[in-house]
């Protein structure tokens, strides 16, 4: 066994084998995989092994397409062919119009990745799958590339190719410990000796936290028992003369695919069960849980109604084994938070179908620093300190119970809530707030007009339209108050703090005390990594502020690049909360609640100062995400309630009202302001994203400068534009395809109604020759081509006169 290698992959299932193979494809051939037993002896061996192209984001569609293409290549390998039933087709059923709208949206989104889905009516579903009934059925979504694959031969084929490229695989090799050294390299301790390496990768399936504990981390991954059975032969399958399409049924919570001349039928029962919460026996390998068909009786009855032929066949065998889930159901693929040279590829509940793509994107991150797609949807750092065992289990149960029911826009499922709150959370609830969740924080979405107010979930403008319009109107004409909790706040201090931030940010970094600036951080490829508000506190440190979701992401980036600078970095994210006071009367309220001089001359736009709000100390910034005159008031959490009461009392004379995140979203779109990981992606540089004014190429150096110069010389591949959408009923949802003459020319990144300008607005990345103002395009919105026109990026107050006061 080697004692020195470049990378060690721990785990020999689909995740580990795919990562090992793809590392060799990216040029790292001195790599090793260690497996405690035999390859595929975990969840992989008993997987139902469905391989679909369906995904709810473009990244997921892209990685699944890679899996399908790779598996076809392995199937056609004459030396070691893999059993892969590709192209059987698959149908996702629906019995509500809202579900059908969702399928139409996903078809539009997939089209931008070169994938074609079909939306079928009920009769066509039954024609393509003659075993199903059309009772209580509206239609479905057809994926022509759907199929299934043999798990064991797939993993063996990937390992075989990796070995041929120079990699080594050590079976029956148990990892007993992990040691990280001062130079960030690792030693992997095993029962057969130690292996020193640069990089370690946790691909341990349901044993993920056994290895996580060895490096002092906990991963938000929980296992669920999952059952399926295989039937005897079904005459209808034999008579059909072709393989049956795969079926996924959110109506009755089951799936099925053909297995020889019978069916493999799997269940997502409501009375589901977690597994391994109190530890996993070291002897559990190539093993299963006890059968428990009584638990799936309700699901089975629904399957009988949808497929009456099932009532006349016997059961050949039953499988009940663990599968892994995360808090939101998507895997964790990427850097391990807080660790250097450590990565994971875990929580793959659909590992066989997606594993080829996940290993591909992870290998790119390890070797090149980034993948070709923005991978935030699967990034392990999207969950922070709230991702404990109990929360993960509750969300895993909820996701399991809703396996084939996608999230609607603005749907916030209840399990595991609330997990992060402030002293104002119950106060806002008493005000009638509906809450959304941002990095675990309960954040006000809007104030309900009545206690029993319940909007309709769907893809069209709903009953909240007028509610949000009212909140925007208050902010525009008087004054509104909004709590922004969880805002990422990192204190940077020390003699090199200005030089450190100047090295990170691609534009000018203000060094003047009492001033605030906006800056963008690039990765080594010259593309956008982060957005930051940089506030130079008077007489004190710098506050680096960014999106709540970026808490661990940005901390990792800052600490990674702090070597060589005399700086200290610490998080204040959980110590403070922002109260945003916005609107033309906000200065009057501030003057009434604080003794400081809030005139334009004394506290102009982009200023920061210490002040008191009533008796509560605060850091106040004159910045605005709404486009109105506004103040960001950062208050210690232990004095937040007092500051809130003082502002409410002072605002009463000026008509102050609470507003929420939905109103903020509407207003920021009117202003051309961008959201991190919606409109700011690692796939595109700042010039392509319309942030030219924040880039100073004459700076001596900044991270990504050389790569950005090359990209600039080559010209943009896309341009981010604002669109006016010709629809009064429906917003353009992220991922929708922008069309011209029947061809995809772009993708929507954000969309909503702009209430101050009376306009349906969308942002989209489009081909550069379609980016000129006035260009007429269409957006594929829920199956209809809706006219859209490129407009200036800030239809509301483009001169920024209102925030300046």
């Amino acid at each position: 066994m080697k004692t020195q290698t470049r990378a060690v992959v721990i785990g020999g299932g689909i995740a580990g084998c795919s990562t090992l193979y793809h590392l060799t494809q990216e040029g790292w051939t001195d790599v090793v995989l260690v497996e405690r037993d035999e390859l595929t002896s975990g969840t992989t061996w008993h997987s139902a092994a469905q391989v679909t192209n369906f995904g709810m984001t473009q990244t997921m569609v892209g990685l699944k397409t890679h899996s399908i293409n790779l598996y076809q290549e392995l199937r056609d390998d004459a030396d070691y062919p893999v059993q892969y039933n590709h192209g059987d087709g698959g149908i996702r059923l629906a019995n509500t119009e809202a579900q059908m709208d969702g399928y139409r949206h996903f078809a539009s989104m997939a089209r931008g990745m070169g994938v074609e889905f079909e939306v079928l009516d009920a009769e066509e579903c039954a024609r393509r799958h003659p075993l199903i009934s059309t009772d209580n059925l509206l239609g479905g979504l057809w994926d022509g590339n759907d199929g299934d694959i043999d798990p064991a031969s797939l993993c063996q084929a990937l390992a075989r190719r990796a070995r041929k490229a120079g990699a080594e695989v050590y079976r029956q090799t148990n990892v007993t410990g992990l040691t990280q050294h001062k130079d960030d390299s690792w030693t992997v301790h095993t029962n057969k000796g130690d292996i020193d390496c640069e990089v370690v990768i946790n691909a341990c399936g349901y044993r993920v936290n056994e290895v996580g504990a060895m490096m002092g981390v906990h991963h938000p991954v929980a296992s669920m028992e999952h059952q399926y059975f295989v039937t005897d032969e079904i005459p209808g399958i034999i008579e059909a003369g072709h393989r049956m399409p795969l079926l996924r049924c959110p109506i009755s919570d089951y799936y099925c695919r053909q297995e020889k001349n019978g069916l493999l039928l799997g269940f997502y029962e409501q009375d589901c069960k977690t597994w391994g919460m109190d530890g996993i026996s070291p002897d559990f390998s190539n093993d299963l849980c006890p059968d428990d068909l009584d638990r799936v009786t309700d699901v089975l009855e629904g399957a009988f109604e949808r497929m009456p032929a099932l009532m006349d066949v016997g059961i050949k065998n039953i499988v009940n084994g663990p599968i892994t889930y995360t808090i939101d159901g998507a895997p964790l693929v990427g850097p391990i938070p807080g660790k250097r040279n450590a990565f994971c590829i875990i929580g793959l509940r659909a590992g066989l179908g997606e594993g080829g793509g996940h290993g591909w994107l992870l290998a790119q991150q390890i070797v090149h620093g980034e993948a070709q797609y923005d991978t935030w949807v699967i990034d392990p750092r999207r969950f922070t300190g709230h991702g404990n065992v109990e929360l993960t289990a509750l969300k895993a149960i909820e996701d399991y119970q809703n396996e084939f029911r996608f999230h609607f826009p603005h749907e916030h499922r209840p399990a595991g809530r609330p997990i992060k709150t402030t002293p104002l959370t119950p106060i806002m609830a008493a005000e009638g707030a509906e809450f959304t969740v941002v990095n675990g924080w309960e954040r006000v979405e809007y104030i309900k007009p009545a206690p029993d107010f319940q909007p309709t979930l769907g893809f069209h403008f709903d009953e909240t339209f007028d509610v949000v319009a009212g909140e925007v109107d208050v902010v525009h004409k008087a004054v509104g108050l909004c709590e922004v909790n969880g805002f990422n706040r990192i204190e940077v201090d020390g003699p090199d703090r200005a030089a450190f931030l100047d090295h990170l940010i691609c534009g000018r970094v203000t060094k003047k005390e009492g001033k605030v600036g906006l800056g963008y951080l690039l990765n080594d490829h010259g593309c956008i990594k982060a957005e930051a508000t940089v506030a130079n506190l008077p007489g004190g440190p710098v506050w680096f502020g960014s999106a709540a979701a970026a808490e661990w992401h940005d901390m990792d980036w800052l600490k990674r690049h702090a070597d060589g600078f005399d700086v200290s970095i610490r998080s204040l994210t959980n110590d403070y909360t922002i109260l945003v006071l916005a609107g033309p009367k906000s200065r009057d309220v501030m003057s009434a609640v604080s003794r400081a001089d809030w005139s334009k001359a004394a506290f102009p736009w982009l200023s920061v100062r210490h002040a008191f709000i009533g008796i509560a100390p605060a850091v106040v910034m004159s910045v605005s995400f709404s486009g109105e005159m506004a103040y960001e008031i950062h208050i210690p959490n232990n004095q937040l309630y007092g500051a809130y009461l003082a502002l409410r009392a002072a605002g009463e004379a000026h008509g102050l009202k609470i507003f929420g995140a939905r109103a903020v979203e509407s207003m920021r779109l009117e202003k051309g302001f961008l959201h991190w990981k919606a409109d700011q992606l690692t796939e595109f540089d700042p010039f392509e994203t319309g942030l030219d004014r924040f880039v100073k190429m004459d700076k001596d150096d900044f991270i990504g400068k050389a790569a950005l110069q090359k990209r600039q010389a080559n010209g943009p591949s896309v341009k981010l534009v604002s669109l006016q959408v010709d629809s009064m009923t429906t917003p353009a949802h992220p991922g929708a395809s922008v069309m011209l003459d029947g061809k995809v020319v772009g993708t929507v990144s954000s969309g909503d109604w702009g209430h101050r300008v009376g306009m349906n607005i969308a942002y989209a990345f489009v081909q550069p020759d379609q980016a000129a103002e006035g260009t007429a395009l269409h957006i594929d919105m829920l199956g209809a081509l809706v006219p859209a026109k490129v407009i200036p990026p800030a239809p509301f107050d483009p001169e920024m006169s209102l925030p300046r006061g």
Side-chain angles (χ1 to χ4, degrees):
M1 189 171 76
K2 281 187 175 182
T3 59
Q4 181 80 39
T5 191
R6 194 159 195 182
V8 173
V9 181
I10 307 172
I14 180 59
C17 291
S18 176
T19 302
L20 187 75
Y21 166 72
H22 283 99
L23 283 172
T24 66
Q25 295 299 293
E26 297 298 329
W28 282 23
T29 56
D30 180 16
V31 289
V32 162
L33 182 149
V34 294
E35 162 57 43
R36 68 189 299 273
D37 199 321
E38 297 292 338
L39 297 186
T40 75
S41 57
T43 294
T44 299
W45 80 269
H46 61 75
S47 169
Q50 301 167 86
V51 183
T52 175
N53 229 349
F54 176 80
M56 289 182 285
T57 66
Q58 288 195 322
T59 295
M60 295 303 293
V61 172
L63 68 87
K64 290 183 177 188
T65 298
H66 176 83
S67 294
I68 289 170
N69 292 337
L70 172 62
Y71 298 170
Q72 286 181 282
E73 180 185 332
L74 295 172
R75 178 199 61 190
D76 297 335
D77 186 339
D79 293 332
Y80 195 92
V82 172
Q83 177 59 40
Y84 178 29
N85 296 310
H86 169 260
D88 292 346
I91 309 173
R92 292 174 186 270
L93 302 180
N95 66 340
T96 70
E97 195 56 48
Q99 287 174 310
M100 294 297 291
D101 278 343
Y103 292 159
R104 295 180 185 107
H105 169 66
F106 296 135
S108 172
M109 181 266 297
R111 188 167 295 120
M113 299 300 289
V115 173
E116 290 294 331
F117 294 148
E118 289 182 69
V119 179
L120 311 179
D121 61 22
E123 288 70 27
E124 183 61 19
C125 289
R127 190 188 70 79
R128 298 191 187 190
H129 200 306
L131 297 183
I132 68 170
S133 162
T134 58
D135 292 346
N136 188 31
L137 183 65
L138 275 183
L141 183 70
W142 173 262
D143 172 8
N145 281 312
D146 219 335
D148 66 272
I149 196 164
D150 175 58
S153 64
L154 169 62
C155 291
Q156 293 290 352
L158 291 169
R160 175 179 175 271
R161 286 193 170 196
R163 287 190 188 102
K164 289 180 69 175
E168 296 192 15
V169 175
Y170 304 136
R171 299 170 294 114
Q172 300 295 329
T173 304
N174 195 20
V175 174
T176 58
L178 294 168
T179 300
Q180 189 164 30
H181 307 290
K182 289 184 178 180
D183 64 354
D184 297 322
S185 67
W186 292 86
T187 297
V188 180
H189 308 284
T190 81
N191 62 328
K192 294 182 178 178
D194 293 348
I195 310 174
D196 295 324
C197 60
E198 297 174 28
V199 171
V200 65
I201 300 111
N202 186 342
C204 290
Y206 52 68
R207 294 190 183 275
V208 52
N209 278 309
E210 295 177 13
V211 172
M214 296 177 188
M215 62 174 67
V217 300
H218 171 78
H219 299 286
V221 175
S223 295
M224 302 292 299
E225 288 189 16
H226 177 60
Q227 295 185 93
Y228 65 78
F229 64 62
V230 178
T231 73
D232 291 330
E233 289 190 350
I234 298 175
I237 291 179
I238 300 171
E239 295 164 4
H242 62 80
R243 287 184 59 82
M244 286 292 114
L246 288 82
L247 199 70
R248 297 171 183 88
C249 182
I251 307 166
S252 301
D253 298 307
Y254 79 98
Y255 64 87
C256 68
R257 66 167 176 83
Q258 186 167 333
E259 181 70 10
K260 296 185 178 177
N261 284 325
L263 289 175
L264 184 153
L265 201 70
F267 310 97
Y268 289 96
E269 69 280 6
Q270 297 302 295
D271 183 24
C272 54
K273 186 178 180 181
T274 57
W275 180 85
M277 293 286 289
D278 298 318
I280 303 167
S281 167
D283 299 324
F284 192 91
S285 184
N286 272 312
D287 210 344
L288 294 172
C289 311
D291 300 343
D292 190 5
L293 283 186
D294 288 344
R295 206 168 68 226
V296 302
T297 301
D298 57 335
V299 183
L300 191 55
E301 289 176 354
F304 285 162
E305 292 176 4
R306 181 63 55 204
M307 304 176 73
L310 290 173
M311 292 185 283
D312 300 323
V313 296
I315 297 174
K316 188 178 295 184
N317 63 291
I318 302 170
V319 170
N320 184 19
I323 57 176
T324 55
Y325 280 77
T326 65
I327 290 174
D328 64 0
L332 305 176
V333 180
I336 294 176
K339 297 292 178 181
R340 293 192 186 184
N341 295 342
F343 296 82
C344 60
I345 176 168
I346 53 180
L348 276 64
R349 80 169 193 258
L352 265 294
E354 302 174 353
H358 288 309
W360 173 58
L361 294 181
L362 179 60
Q364 292 177 34
Q365 293 179 67
I366 294 169
V367 175
H368 307 296
E370 298 285 355
Q372 68 184 68
Y373 303 141
D374 189 295
T375 56
W376 183 246
V377 68
I378 55 175
D379 195 300
R381 297 165 297 187
R382 69 187 188 274
F383 306 117
T384 57
H386 64 289
N388 57 43
V389 175
E390 283 71 17
L391 175 65
T392 305
L394 289 172
K395 297 304 287 186
I397 291 168
E398 182 181 62
D399 204 57
Y400 186 96
Q401 292 170 331
N402 291 278
E403 177 70 25
F404 299 129
R405 286 184 283 276
F406 53 79
H407 279 79
F408 286 102
H410 308 299
E411 179 185 5
H412 311 297
R413 292 176 179 169
R417 296 178 61 188
I419 187 70
K420 290 184 183 179
T421 61
T422 75
L424 294 187
T425 305
I427 307 302
M428 294 297 183
E431 293 271 7
E434 180 69 23
F435 294 94
T436 184
V437 180
V438 181
N439 191 22
W441 292 95
E442 296 286 334
R443 188 177 289 181
V444 176
E445 190 173 36
Y446 57 86
I447 302 298
K448 294 182 285 188
D452 59 351
F453 180 76
Q454 188 64 48
T456 304
L457 290 176
F459 286 80
H460 300 280
F461 293 123
D462 58 30
E463 296 86 346
T464 62
F465 188 90
D466 292 337
V467 176
V468 174
E471 293 182 7
V472 170
D473 191 59
V474 167
V475 174
H476 181 49
K477 295 178 179 177
V479 59
L481 186 66
C482 176
E483 181 189 33
V484 182
N485 45 24
F487 185 75
N488 187 33
R489 186 181 296 97
I490 300 173
E491 181 186 272
V492 181
D493 207 352
D496 291 346
R497 62 180 184 258
F500 172 58
L501 291 170
D502 194 54
H503 176 60
L504 291 174
I505 293 172
C506 66
R508 298 285 181 228
V509 180
T510 179
K511 300 178 178 63
K512 186 176 180 182
E513 284 192 10
K515 298 302 291 182
V516 180
L518 184 65
Y520 290 88
L521 291 72
L522 309 184
N523 59 28
D524 294 327
H525 302 279
C527 294
I528 293 177
K529 189 71 176 179
E531 177 189 65
T533 301
V534 178
N536 293 282
L537 273 61
V542 174
W543 277 8
F544 176 106
S546 58
E551 181 184 356
W552 280 6
H553 174 280
D554 287 3
M555 181 62 81
D556 269 2
W557 190 254
L558 266 61
K559 286 187 173 181
R560 173 180 164 184
H561 291 94
D563 296 344
F565 292 93
D566 187 0
V567 293
S568 64
I569 300 171
R570 68 176 181 131
S571 175
L572 301 176
T573 298
N574 297 306
D575 299 331
Y576 287 79
T577 292
I578 298 174
L579 293 178
V580 172
L581 192 70
K585 297 183 180 180
S586 57
R587 180 175 287 145
D588 297 329
V589 176
M590 289 295 288
S591 298
V593 80
S594 171
R595 290 185 296 109
D597 183 353
W598 298 101
S599 66
K600 180 178 179 179
F603 195 66
W605 186 48
L606 298 180
S607 297
V608 57
R609 65 160 54 147
H610 294 281
F612 284 90
I613 304 301
I615 60 173
V619 172
V620 182
M621 303 181 194
S622 178
V623 294
S624 174
F625 201 53
S626 63
E628 303 286 347
M629 180 191 295
Y631 301 92
E632 273 189 10
I633 308 167
H634 300 244
I635 303 167
N637 282 334
N638 63 353
Q639 299 194 14
L640 181 62
Y641 182 47
Y644 169 80
L645 290 177
L647 286 165
R648 290 302 301 267
E652 188 172 348
H654 303 284
L656 183 146
K657 301 289 184 183
I658 304 297
F659 67 101
R662 294 278 287 272
V664 173
E665 177 70 2
S666 169
M667 291 186 284
R668 72 99 181 171
L669 284 164
E670 295 173 306
K671 286 299 301 170
F673 296 155
L674 310 183
H675 260 175
W676 185 70
K677 294 307 178 188
D679 318 300
Q680 302 168 16
L681 305 172
T682 57
E683 297 174 35
F684 308 122
D685 64 46
F687 299 122
E688 293 169 323
T689 313
L691 298 171
D692 309 46
R693 65 192 184 281
F694 294 102
V695 182
K696 300 300 178 185
M697 297 301 290
D698 58 350
K699 285 179 61 172
D700 287 341
D701 194 24
F702 54 83
I703 294 172
K705 179 179 178 180
L708 183 60
Q709 287 173 324
K710 291 181 180 178
R711 293 180 65 95
Q712 190 179 23
N714 292 332
S717 61
V718 296
K719 293 290 288 186
L720 183 67
V721 299
S722 296
L723 298 169
Q724 181 176 359
V725 183
D726 187 14
S727 174
M728 299 293 292
T729 62
T730 309
H733 295 282
S737 288
V738 181
M739 310 290 292
L740 179 66
D741 297 331
K743 296 181 180 179
V744 177
V745 296
T747 299
V748 170
S749 59
S750 297
D752 205 347
W753 188 268
H755 289 280
R756 291 173 297 189
V757 296
M759 186 185 299
N760 193 345
I761 302 172
Y763 295 168
F765 287 96
V766 301
Q767 295 175 3
D769 55 355
Q770 308 302 330
E773 291 179 17
T775 300
L777 301 164
H778 287 85
I779 303 176
D780 180 356
M781 292 168 52
L782 311 185
L785 289 179
V786 177
K789 181 178 66 175
V790 178
I791 61 171
F796 177 77
D797 187 27
E799 296 82 16
M800 294 290 288
S801 59
L802 296 178
R804 297 174 190 273

